Amino acid sequence: MQTEKFSPSFESLTQYRCPDWFLDAKFGIWSHWGPQSVPMFGDWYARNMYIQGSPQYLYHLRHYGHPSKFGYKDLCALWKAEKFDPDALMDLYVKAGARYFVGQAMHHDHFFNYPSKLNRFNSMEVGPHKDICGMWKAAADKRGLPFGLTEHLGASFSWWRVNKGSDSWGPYAGVPYDGNDPAYRDFYYDNFEHVGDDKAPWYTKNEKFREYWLAVMREIIDLYQPDLLYSDGPLPFGQPDSVPADADYRVGLEAVSYLYNTSIAKYGENRAVYNQKDRRPEIYQVGVLDIEKSQLPDIRPDPWQTDTCIGNWFYDVRQEFKRPGHIIEMLIDIIAKNGVMLLNVLQRPDGSIDDETVWILENLGKWFAVCGEGVYGTRPWRISGEGDTKVVIRGFTEEAASWTPSDFRFTCRGKTLYAFQMRAPENGTAVIKSLTEGEKVRSVRLLGAGEVPFAQNFGVLTVKLPDKLPTEFANCLAIELE
């Protein structure tokens, strides 16, 4: 583990090595939560409410009023988080299997979930009047969970250009939205350079905003010393054609080195993880690659993370949630490929979670209680699995795979091979064909049931399973090799 300070350069930061806690944890829970949860109408509400004709604009117009009269600043004041109980939630998350926790410092909406000295629109001054990030951290620390934060600020400057517009037709045609009000320009930005540009970049080239972003990153690192920091996009402020030598990366590298050096000062070694989404090794090796709502086709030598959600990113009354089995199957496939899953658990605006979410978490907890041995602290085997079924990898698509009893995913620890059978067989038998003749099996346990009979012929392992399996989801065999 690194004990020497990092400099803000690719040469220094690509010497990064992922800490063991992250490799061992495998499963984290994320609170992607803020004022945009208030309407309970889904992700990107703060942007889409300013786009005439969009479903969120129509909802806002008819529920709150026109965005020239009732803008996003007014919606923020409605967020109260009055039922937010981080201790009770963290107990539930730990029981559900989480081994690290991540809160949201701010989304693209420029509202901060902590008492910032750089932005008056924060959760201590507006809305809840609570240090949301601090409350999460205290609950995580009490339970010994590594604590992380996500920042979505980098893309905010160009993302929120729409608040400077107006309706093109109807009774409010030409009436400026409240983003034009000079009294709130610090919140809504002086981002007129991006107004009207439908192809505006994810990351702005505005140097004043880039410096502001860096100051905010230093503020949250100083306040919370997070074990993980996630940027919603590539390493700031890289453009699609940027290469490591480009000056666009300067403030991003400053933030990453500041994160790591803060961790070294606290622990005597770097225990921090930085996530970003550029898949080029020369960029992502400054930390751990994050893949949003998708997976990888096979084992990657470098560890990686999938961030995903039980439904939409913010609470959405229209959204169907993933079933527990789907989440478990995704997790198994991810960890077999050297990945880690970060799962967003949706909160209502008052801070509570609904009954379906509790049911999902309880089912995850029951499964981890049986199969956690094959998850925590494991590493990829020489292959990720066997069987014909593959996960769908297409954009942000997360279809449930049509697994069969012939599909297995593997992890290992020492001489123990863990084989997750993705579907229960009708004949009560598990057949694994990936062992070589030199890999002799000493014993086989079915996690949650104990030792089970087996036979090994020419490398093929046949295991007799009990009539009643320990879990209704994917079961796991612990295969002890000689």
Side-chain angles (χ1 to χ4, degrees):
M1 190 59 61
Q2 296 95 330
T3 57
E4 299 296 324
K5 281 191 173 183
F6 289 89
S7 63
S9 67
F10 280 102
E11 182 181 12
S12 175
L13 288 166
T14 51
Q15 302 305 306
Y16 172 83
R17 294 295 177 268
C18 183
D20 286 341
W21 75 257
F22 189 77
L23 297 173
D24 293 341
K26 304 302 181 190
F27 179 60
I29 283 181
W30 182 14
S31 170
H32 189 289
W33 182 50
Q36 288 181 93
S37 66
V38 169
M40 299 196 290
F41 216 66
D43 195 25
W44 282 31
Y45 189 96
R47 185 177 198 273
N48 294 335
M49 62 171 278
Y50 293 106
I51 300 176
Q52 188 179 22
S54 74
Q56 288 162 317
Y57 167 92
L58 292 172
Y59 179 86
H60 191 89
L61 177 70
R62 294 164 182 171
H63 193 80
Y64 300 108
H66 191 262
S68 64
K69 297 180 177 181
F70 192 100
Y72 188 67
K73 67 181 188 306
D74 305 296
L75 191 73
C76 290
L78 299 182
W79 185 37
K80 300 301 183 183
E82 64 271 24
K83 294 183 181 178
F84 178 42
D85 186 346
D87 283 304
L89 290 173
M90 202 67 70
D91 282 340
L92 187 57
Y93 297 161
V94 170
K95 190 175 180 181
R99 292 298 178 266
Y100 67 108
F101 178 83
V102 178
Q104 181 176 269
M106 75 288 293
H107 200 250
H108 308 314
D109 62 352
H110 195 208
F111 187 95
F112 292 1
N113 286 350
Y114 68 94
S116 174
K117 294 181 179 179
L118 300 172
N119 177 13
R120 63 187 171 116
F121 273 80
N122 66 72
S123 63
M124 190 63 81
E125 301 297 326
V126 178
H129 300 288
K130 298 174 182 177
D131 178 2
I132 302 296
C133 293
M135 293 170 73
W136 277 131
K137 178 176 171 58
D141 287 351
K142 193 183 299 183
R143 290 151 186 84
L145 293 187
F147 174 73
L149 289 170
T150 68
E151 69 85 10
H152 308 248
L153 182 66
S156 181
F157 193 77
S158 57
W159 181 88
W160 226 10
R161 61 192 180 274
V162 291
N163 65 48
K164 303 299 185 298
S166 62
D167 288 0
S168 61
W169 59 272
Y172 293 95
V175 178
Y177 300 146
D178 73 324
N180 292 278
D181 187 343
Y184 296 96
R185 195 63 50 76
D186 59 329
F187 182 46
Y188 288 119
Y189 300 130
D190 275 315
N191 54 2
F192 290 94
E193 65 222 64
H194 295 297
V195 173
D197 182 3
D198 290 336
K199 297 181 179 179
W202 188 249
Y203 288 147
T204 185
K205 290 183 178 289
N206 185 292
E207 284 296 330
K208 184 178 179 182
F209 178 79
R210 291 181 175 190
E211 292 297 333
Y212 171 65
W213 176 88
L214 178 57
V216 172
M217 295 306 104
R218 286 175 170 155
E219 182 177 58
I220 60 175
I221 292 167
D222 287 343
L223 283 172
Y224 303 108
Q225 285 120 40
D227 300 299
L228 181 148
L229 178 64
Y230 159 114
S231 289
D232 188 11
L235 176 65
F237 278 84
Q239 304 297 308
D241 57 351
S242 294
V243 296
D246 290 351
D248 286 323
Y249 290 116
R250 180 182 61 82
V251 297
L253 295 171
E254 288 275 2
V256 178
S257 62
Y258 195 75
L259 172 71
Y260 293 162
N261 291 337
T262 299
S263 182
I264 291 170
K266 181 178 180 180
Y267 296 113
E269 62 180 11
N270 180 40
R271 298 185 189 176
V273 173
Y274 175 69
N275 297 137
Q276 61 80 57
K277 301 181 181 182
D278 191 321
R279 298 196 186 193
R280 293 176 294 169
E282 62 269 29
I283 307 298
Y284 77 66
Q285 286 177 347
V286 303
V288 174
L289 173 65
D290 180 85
I291 297 174
E292 181 178 341
K293 279 198 166 186
S294 190
Q295 290 157 260
L296 289 176
D298 214 333
I299 298 171
R300 185 179 288 244
D302 296 312
W304 53 281
Q305 173 182 268
T306 283
D307 71 281
T308 187
C309 185
I310 64 171
N312 202 336
W313 285 119
F314 286 102
Y315 199 94
D316 190 337
V317 295
R318 304 164 295 176
Q319 186 75 27
E320 184 178 355
F321 289 171
K322 291 182 177 71
R323 302 287 179 87
H326 184 191
I327 295 168
I328 289 165
E329 290 156 13
M330 287 176 58
L331 171 73
I332 292 167
D333 190 76
I334 288 165
I335 66 173
K337 298 170 180 175
N338 206 22
V340 174
M341 177 192 275
L342 179 62
L343 179 70
N344 176 37
V345 171
L346 291 160
Q347 288 167 263
R348 291 179 289 204
D350 64 9
S352 64
I353 59 176
D354 64 25
D355 291 343
E356 185 179 356
T357 303
V358 172
W359 174 79
I360 291 169
L361 292 169
E362 288 176 345
N363 274 276
L364 293 181
K366 290 175 184 176
W367 181 81
F368 271 106
V370 174
C371 297
E373 180 188 331
V375 177
Y376 304 125
T378 61
R379 297 294 183 267
W381 194 43
R382 56 177 172 79
I383 58 173
S384 62
E386 69 178 46
D388 295 331
T389 308
K390 308 295 181 186
V391 293
V392 176
I393 300 176
R394 185 175 63 248
F396 293 150
T397 300
E398 292 181 307
E399 298 173 11
S402 299
W403 303 105
T404 74
S406 297
D407 293 310
F408 290 86
R409 292 296 179 267
F410 302 121
T411 62
C412 68
R413 184 192 300 105
K415 292 187 176 182
T416 305
L417 170 65
Y418 296 98
F420 293 90
Q421 191 169 27
M422 305 302 279
R423 281 289 183 273
E426 293 183 3
N427 63 1
T429 303
V431 179
I432 296 172
K433 303 175 181 178
S434 296
L435 293 165
T436 66
E437 289 192 40
E439 291 172 324
K440 301 296 184 182
V441 176
R442 190 171 59 196
S443 65
V444 179
R445 288 179 292 123
L446 177 63
L447 296 187
E451 288 203 13
V452 287
F454 72 95
Q456 186 180 20
N457 298 292
F458 305 103
V460 177
L461 177 66
T462 305
V463 179
K464 178 62 178 174
L465 302 174
D467 293 337
K468 182 173 176 56
L469 296 173
T471 170
E472 64 181 292
F473 307 116
N475 283 275
C476 183
L477 296 167
I479 303 164
E480 303 295 336
L481 301 176
E482 292 183 356

